[in-house]
Amino acid sequence: MEANTMFLTKALLLVCFRVCFTLASDPDPIQDFCIPKPITSPHHHSFSTNLPCKNSSELTTEDFIFSGFKTPGNFSETGLATVPVNPTTFPGLNTLGLSFVRADLKPGAINPPHYHPRATEVAHVVKGRVYSGFVDSNNKVYAKVMEEGEMMVYPKGLVHFQMNVGDVTATILGGLNSQSPGIQKIPSVVFGSGINEELLVKAFGLSLEQIGTLKKRFNPVMSNEH
């Protein structure tokens, strides 16, 4: 009997382990919504789902509306402008497992290869023509030029990218299934994070001088020093 009990316990633990990791994602809300109260304490994370909620008597319809998608964000020198939308900028999203982004690209501009470690993304081309795609874990590229009205999905954790191949500024709206998807841009991760230069030389077959040039370009601290 004791052996059978031990076997059943181990089996249940194994099943739980597999199921828990298979279903891992943003936690499901335990109430209709939670518009967080403003918190000034540095110990609270911006995306925490444990922030105290406003009383429903304090809420209005405006708490569930975001108007920041009407216009593009500020364009960078590379021609990319983004408007990220998450519980920090739109508290109505808190606990709902969603975030969004508006991206505008001037002709020829790119959204460099990047990935979201905690979310799948769906991108909808609102205006323009955009070369869009992602790379799977076998290094196969899935990419095409998307026209207005088309949509593409980027699976969770896979590197993806966009480039405006049209003659007008392109607009893309993205939706992600996490309120804190995270983002890591490949050039900045590799050359702007402080990875040992000797390792980078061996990995990319570049000279120390070339690696130094790339680090100056993608490392914010070094860029400000020069």
Side-chain angles (χ1 to χ4, degrees):
M1 287 292 292
E2 184 176 347
N4 288 337
T5 301
M6 288 281 291
F7 174 79
L8 287 174
T9 300
K10 290 180 178 179
L12 287 172
L13 287 173
L14 180 61
V15 170
C16 179
F17 179 84
R18 288 181 175 176
V19 170
C20 288
F21 278 87
T22 300
L23 299 179
S25 62
D26 284 6
D28 287 332
I30 57 174
Q31 53 198 350
D32 291 346
F33 45 76
C34 173
I35 309 299
K37 292 181 179 180
I39 296 293
T40 56
S41 170
H43 301 295
H44 283 277
H45 192 282
S46 301
F47 297 107
S48 173
T49 56
N50 297 319
L51 294 175
C53 309
K54 289 184 179 180
N55 190 292
S56 59
S57 62
E58 303 176 74
L59 303 178
T60 69
T61 302
E62 296 302 314
D63 286 302
F64 302 95
I65 294 175
F66 179 78
S67 301
F69 266 1
K70 291 181 178 180
T71 57
N74 297 320
F75 283 94
S76 67
E77 294 180 359
T78 61
L80 172 67
T82 60
V83 179
V85 186
N86 51 56
T88 298
T89 55
F90 182 19
L93 291 176
N94 187 49
T95 74
L96 300 184
L98 294 170
S99 56
F100 301 88
V101 63
R102 170 178 173 156
D104 292 89
L105 299 95
K106 292 183 177 180
I110 68 167
N111 191 1
H114 64 280
Y115 68 96
H116 307 288
R118 295 183 290 275
T120 293
E121 180 179 4
V122 174
H124 173 228
V125 178
V126 177
K127 185 178 71 172
R129 300 176 68 246
V130 178
Y131 174 68
S132 171
F134 67 90
V135 182
D136 72 7
S137 56
N138 292 315
N139 279 344
K140 181 178 178 178
V141 178
Y142 297 84
K144 65 165 287 185
V145 174
M146 295 172 61
E147 309 287 345
E148 291 183 10
E150 291 191 305
M151 182 181 293
M152 187 172 197
V153 62
Y154 310 126
K156 178 180 178 180
L158 295 187
V159 172
H160 51 279
F161 48 83
Q162 296 145 349
M163 178 171 65
N164 185 352
V165 295
D167 299 323
V168 300
T169 297
T171 301
I172 304 168
L173 299 184
L176 303 102
N177 65 342
S178 171
Q179 71 175 47
S180 178
I183 182 171
Q184 290 195 287
K185 296 185 177 181
I186 303 304
S188 298
V189 167
V190 174
F191 298 107
S193 60
I195 294 176
N196 181 278
E197 290 186 356
E198 182 181 356
L199 186 151
L200 295 177
V201 166
K202 293 179 178 179
F204 293 96
L206 301 174
S207 68
L208 273 175
E209 183 179 0
Q210 290 171 320
I211 293 296
T213 299
L214 290 168
K215 292 185 71 172
K216 289 177 184 177
R217 178 176 178 182
F218 294 108
N219 188 314
V221 175
M222 293 185 68
S223 297
N224 293 333
E225 292 176 348
H226 295 78

